[in-house]
Amino acid sequence: MKAWLPALLRLAVLLLLVVFITSPSWFEPLLKPLTENGAPAIYNQGSLLTLTLQHLRTVLVATVAATIVAVALAILVTRPAGVEFLPLSRSLVNIGQTFPPVAVLALAVPAVGFGEKPTLIALFLYGLLPIFENALTALTTLPGNVMEAARGAGMTGWQRLMKVELPLSAPVILGGIRLSVVISLATATIGSTVAAKTLGEVIIAGLISNNPAFVLQGGLIVAALAVLIYDGLSAIERFAARRMGQGAE
């Protein structure tokens, strides 16, 4: 019974989240004590469901782009012809961690305007480092006997990469993607400061109007999404590790 408890808790969180973003008025009695002077308890300047989906879409697009670039760089610098580009690649992926998200947004807005684009740039830059470092670690710590067997079987470099290296590296790369997604989920909220449609809109509206109910519901939705997505990606990571015969950590 105890083994099922975490799964039941996650299912309960998922159901509560779905109900809240689709029918938030049901929770008004719980949030009303946090308001003053007749202020609304439920965010009323847009749809929570729409904002949640737009928030997730922004994170997804940025993560996919960061994954493609980071994994490609890791592959490049682990080939004999690309080893010399490792310092440059590390410098590039560290850019997002060097500048705070607000600074990236401030620099991106004059170039691409307000809206989702500067937020995507910030999330893309922030998501590169964990994916790149995990991919690099995975590709440089592959079992030597497996690689020798692949060479002995007459595989070309491309075949070894696609059929041996990337499949064996997948669990570790997924770990980097998981970290990147969680970082992006939280960071995306600041995108609303430059007119991006994210859940940060709810939090900012609450701060401006001194309405803790808005701040709480925006923060709780982001937190629930982070927990559920983290757990989901962790499960995929464990599945990939088992398929590769690496076991679950």
Side-chain angles (χ1 to χ4, degrees):
M1 184 65 182
K2 290 182 180 179
W4 287 95
L5 187 57
L8 289 174
L9 288 174
R10 294 185 189 100
L11 180 60
V13 172
L14 176 60
L15 290 174
L16 279 173
L17 176 63
V18 171
V19 172
F20 184 76
I21 62 177
T22 54
S23 302
S25 58
W26 292 5
F27 297 83
E28 186 171 3
L30 294 175
L31 296 170
K32 196 65 178 176
L34 298 175
T35 63
E36 297 178 354
N37 303 321
I42 301 297
Y43 184 69
N44 58 356
Q45 299 171 31
S47 166
L48 288 178
L49 175 59
T50 300
L51 287 175
T52 300
L53 293 175
Q54 290 174 322
H55 190 106
L56 290 173
R57 183 193 66 185
T58 300
V59 171
L60 175 63
V61 172
T63 301
V64 169
T67 299
I68 292 171
V69 172
V71 173
L73 282 175
I75 292 172
L76 171 66
V77 300
T78 53
R79 305 305 100 178
V83 172
E84 62 187 53
F85 294 104
L86 178 57
L88 175 61
S89 297
R90 276 218 161 98
S91 298
L92 289 174
V93 300
N94 272 291
I95 289 177
Q97 307 296 323
T98 303
F99 297 98
V102 175
V104 176
L105 289 174
L107 293 171
V109 166
V112 299
F114 287 90
E116 187 181 33
K117 289 181 180 178
T119 306
L120 286 172
I121 292 172
L123 298 185
F124 167 76
L125 292 176
Y126 257 64
L128 285 173
L129 182 62
I131 303 173
F132 174 79
E133 289 296 344
N134 275 41
L136 183 63
T137 299
L139 290 169
T140 53
T141 57
L142 293 169
N145 59 334
V146 175
M147 297 304 299
E148 285 300 323
R151 292 189 187 94
M155 286 187 176
T156 64
W158 177 255
Q159 288 174 326
R160 289 197 302 270
L161 174 66
M162 300 304 296
K163 295 182 178 181
V164 180
E165 295 181 57
L166 287 179
L168 286 174
S169 302
V172 180
I173 294 174
L174 284 169
I177 294 173
R178 170 167 47 87
L179 294 175
S180 178
V181 168
V182 172
I183 292 171
S184 294
L185 279 168
T187 307
T189 57
I190 67 169
S192 293
T193 60
V194 292
K197 290 291 183 179
T198 72
L199 288 164
E201 188 175 302
V202 183
I203 298 172
I204 292 171
L207 293 173
I208 293 174
S209 61
N210 193 27
N211 189 338
F214 284 6
V215 177
L216 180 64
Q217 60 199 269
L220 285 178
I221 294 173
V222 173
L225 288 172
V227 169
L228 292 170
I229 293 175
Y230 183 93
D231 282 350
L233 291 176
S234 294
I236 296 173
E237 188 181 336
R238 290 192 296 271
F239 174 75
R242 285 195 297 269
R243 285 201 63 182
M244 293 297 107
Q246 299 169 15
E249 294 183 1

